Each structure stands twice: as C-alpha cells, then as structure tokens.
C-alpha cells in the first residue's frame, strides 16, 4: 500500500506546487527525471531555514506515516521515507538533487513521523480503553495529528483501524497561578 500511496502523494504535491508556484523548478518531467537519475550532480542546497528544517521533515513525515499506518515497523517505514525522498529529489523538481534535502526529508521526516504516529495512536488508544470504537472526535483529532493515519483509517475501513496498544506512561499537568518577585533595599 505505501508503495502506491507515496508516489501518488508526490505526484499530487508536485501538481499542487506547479499550480501554486508556476514557471518554477517544480515543472519537472520525464526528461529532467531521466537526466538526474543518469547524470545527476548532487549538491548542497541553499534553501531557507524554514524549508530545510520544517518543510523537508514534514514531507518526510507524511511519507513515513503512509508506511507506518499500513502496519510496517519503524525501520521499514524509515526505508519508505528515504526512497520517497530520493524519488522527489530525482523527479519532483528541475534543479539538481540536494544531499541535505535527501537526508533531512528521509531521516528527520522518519523521526518526526514516528512522533506524529504515536501521538495519533495515543489519542485513539485513550478513547477505546474497553476495546471499542473511539469517539468520532478522537478519530478526527488523530487524523489532524497524523494525516496519513487518518486517511488509511478512513479509506480502508477496519483493515487499518488497528493500532499497537502501547499504553505509554503519560503525564498531564494543568497549572494556574501567579508568581512574582519583590525587592527591598534599605539605604
């Protein structure tokens, strides 16, 4: 399933980028993909901080989430995230593939994706302590936290409505109050 979902996600993302950012390096195609695959000169990119440290991991987390929510373990999902990153570097843009983009998208995306997957899992798990179906608001909250998990649960029904029961130790604290400091000086 993730072998279909990840390329479909990348095609949709590229299509969105073509519309949102016309006449830019998102106008890739078979010719540019073949060129990068056969003769690609990998280089270090100069993307802005927000793109390199937020955009790339978020894209990787989505690809990781598709694999993880399909029942694969961390390392299998990590491999899918890195292969998806490579596919994007070769076929998603017309500029040269970038080393740091590949690393950040595949690896940081996997770490970020695992966090999102587990948080979504926790929301669902806490809502079905008796083994029953979680409340609808919990399904939606989990989908907001981990969109690929929500998508697989929505599209494939009961097939992907399982999550590993982790029963993690959690700590929640809500505090109200005020603090202040006083200073007294005596001349």
């Amino acid at each position: 399933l993730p072998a279909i979902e990840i390329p479909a996600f990348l095609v949709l993302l590229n299509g969105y980028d073509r519309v949102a950012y016309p006449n830019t390096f998102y106008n890739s195609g078979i010719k540019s993909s073949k060129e990068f695959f056969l003769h690609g000169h990998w280089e270090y990119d100069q993307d802005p901080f927000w793109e390199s440290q937020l955009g790339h991991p978020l894209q990787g987390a989505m690809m990781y989430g598709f694999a993880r929510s399909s029942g694969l373990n961390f390392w299998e999902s990590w491999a899918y995230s890195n292969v998806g990153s490579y596919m994007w570097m070769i076929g998603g843009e017309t500029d040269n593939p970038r080393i740091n983009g590949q690393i950040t998208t595949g690896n940081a995306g996997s770490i970020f994706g695992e966090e999102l997957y587990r948080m979504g899992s926790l929301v669902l798990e806490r809502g079905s302590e008796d083994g029953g179906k979680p409340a609808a608001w919990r399904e939606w909250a989990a989908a907001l936290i981990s969109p690929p998990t929500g998508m697989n649960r929505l599209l494939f029904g009961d097939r992907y409505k399982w999550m590993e029961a982790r029963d993690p130790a959690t700590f929640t604290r809500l505090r109200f109050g005020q603090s202040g400091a006083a200073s007294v000086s005596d001349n």
Side-chain angles (χ1 to χ4, degrees):
L1 183 61
I4 296 167
E5 288 179 325
I6 291 171
F9 167 70
L10 294 175
V11 167
L12 290 172
L13 181 61
N14 183 265
Y16 168 80
D17 288 340
R18 287 174 185 233
V19 171
Y21 310 104
N23 302 319
T24 60
F25 51 87
Y26 295 114
N27 290 325
S28 58
I30 293 175
K31 184 178 178 184
S32 62
S33 299
K34 180 181 173 186
E35 178 65 27
F36 292 140
F37 182 72
L38 296 175
H39 310 291
H41 172 71
W42 287 77
E43 57 187 37
Y44 183 80
D45 78 13
Q46 301 298 322
D47 287 341
F49 180 83
W50 67 267
E51 186 175 339
S52 291
Q53 303 305 316
L54 180 62
H56 288 287
L58 186 57
Q59 182 178 346
M62 292 293 289
M63 294 183 289
Y64 176 88
F66 286 121
R68 191 74 165 102
S69 65
S70 297
L72 300 179
N73 66 30
F74 174 84
W75 294 107
E76 293 164 335
S77 302
W78 171 84
Y80 270 100
S81 183
N82 277 282
V83 168
S85 177
Y86 179 78
M87 290 168 58
W88 180 262
M89 292 298 154
I90 297 299
E93 301 174 350
T94 58
D95 55 353
N96 285 331
R98 292 157 326 275
I99 296 166
N100 54 332
Q102 170 68 36
I103 293 168
T104 310
T105 303
N107 296 316
S110 293
I111 295 167
F112 187 37
E114 181 68 11
E115 293 169 355
L116 295 176
Y117 173 78
R118 286 187 181 208
M119 285 190 291
S121 194
L122 179 64
V123 168
L124 292 168
E125 190 174 319
R126 293 287 187 223
S128 60
E129 283 124 9
D130 61 354
K133 182 180 178 190
W137 74 267
R138 287 188 175 273
E139 290 276 354
W140 284 103
L144 286 172
I145 293 168
S146 178
T149 301
M151 189 184 91
N152 279 343
R153 292 171 65 86
L154 177 67
L155 292 178
F156 299 106
D158 290 338
R159 181 174 179 191
Y160 294 109
K161 289 202 176 206
W162 59 269
M163 298 294 228
E164 298 121 27
R166 298 184 185 283
D167 194 26
T170 56
F171 176 73
T172 304
R173 177 170 56 183
L174 179 62
R175 297 176 67 183
F176 292 101
Q178 179 181 349
S179 63
S183 166
V184 177
S185 66
D186 186 6
N187 292 333

